[in-house]
Amino acid sequence: MRGITRRTCAAGLAAVVMVAGLTACTGGTDDRAEACTDGTYTWSGVQRSEKLTELADPIFFEKTTASYSAKLKRVDDTVYRPTVSVPPKGVDAAGVIKALGRHLKVEEPLADPTETYGLEDEHYFESATGDHKGAYYAWGYIKLVDADFTYTCGSGEPIKGHVRTWDGTGSGFLPCASEPSDITTGRDAAVRTCPEGSPATKAA
């Protein structure tokens, strides 16, 4: 998780009465700006999508092969970073993303602002079981989450913002002679790499 930067208020503010959870030191010309850490989120417009991020070169086994390692190459230069358009004062972007995770009841934490996807070394897909023969395709993907929020705290004006993060990444490996993949990124990958007319490309 991203560390929280701690700042010390100027001595001249020592006489200000601090109400727990409602005020905090901030940068800028006014270090007494109000903040609120225990507000309520209202979520809307939640959308989940998968983006194709990596592809293997076309794969073809002339004879039955039990194991295979496929190098996955980036399909473009996009670098994904979790973002929060307007973090409320007193709540950092990581806190907003955690709140979204609680709302969605995700099993694993959503990606926080310390994470990126797209700057890593090249990935590989490995298959160690099965009798592979003929044309295959392999791909990688990211599972994005977008959501709008309204943050209400005390008597202050509600804060509206937008979150983009992800709840996982993955990869796939299928024969071109099989039925089309049940996810969009798999069908897209088949069209890009399988021989024309392959069953895996028919519904794409």
Side-chain angles (χ1 to χ4, degrees):
M1 300 298 293
R2 182 176 66 178
I4 299 175
T5 301
R6 301 184 182 278
R7 303 186 63 184
T8 304
C9 296
L13 298 182
V16 176
V17 176
M18 304 295 286
V19 179
L22 296 182
T23 58
C25 299
T26 63
T29 57
D30 185 0
D31 280 345
R32 295 167 296 175
E34 289 190 357
C36 188
T37 61
D38 58 353
T40 301
Y41 292 90
T42 301
W43 297 97
S44 62
V46 177
Q47 295 184 342
R48 295 176 180 269
S49 60
E50 289 187 358
K51 297 293 184 183
L52 182 69
T53 56
E54 297 160 308
L55 274 177
D57 290 334
I59 304 164
F60 188 80
F61 303 106
E62 292 186 0
K63 59 182 180 180
T64 301
T65 304
S67 62
Y68 181 73
S69 177
K71 181 179 180 179
L72 298 176
K73 301 177 181 178
R74 300 288 299 175
V75 299
D76 56 38
D77 296 328
T78 302
V79 176
Y80 296 91
R81 294 182 174 89
T83 58
V84 177
S85 63
V86 185
K89 291 180 179 179
V91 182
D92 62 11
V96 178
I97 292 173
K98 281 185 178 180
L100 176 59
R102 290 193 295 270
H103 171 72
L104 297 177
K105 298 179 181 179
V106 296
E107 294 183 2
E108 297 293 333
L110 299 172
D112 69 28
T114 66
E115 301 179 56
T116 61
Y117 185 80
L119 294 176
E120 305 89 347
D121 294 334
E122 293 170 329
H123 296 152
Y124 289 81
F125 180 88
E126 296 184 352
S127 174
T129 60
D131 295 327
H132 308 312
K133 189 174 182 180
Y136 282 72
Y137 62 105
W139 76 100
Y141 59 90
I142 186 170
K143 299 165 65 176
L144 298 172
V145 180
D146 284 270
D148 297 316
F149 69 88
T150 300
Y151 182 79
T152 305
C153 197
S155 60
E157 289 292 323
I159 302 297
K160 296 181 180 293
H162 182 84
V163 176
R164 164 161 276 204
T165 182
W166 60 86
D167 65 352
T169 60
S171 60
F173 175 75
L174 290 172
C176 295
S178 68
E179 292 297 316
S181 171
D182 58 0
I183 62 175
T184 302
T185 54
R187 295 193 294 271
D188 188 9
V191 167
R192 296 191 187 205
T193 56
C194 286
E196 186 176 352
S198 296
T201 69
K202 288 183 178 179

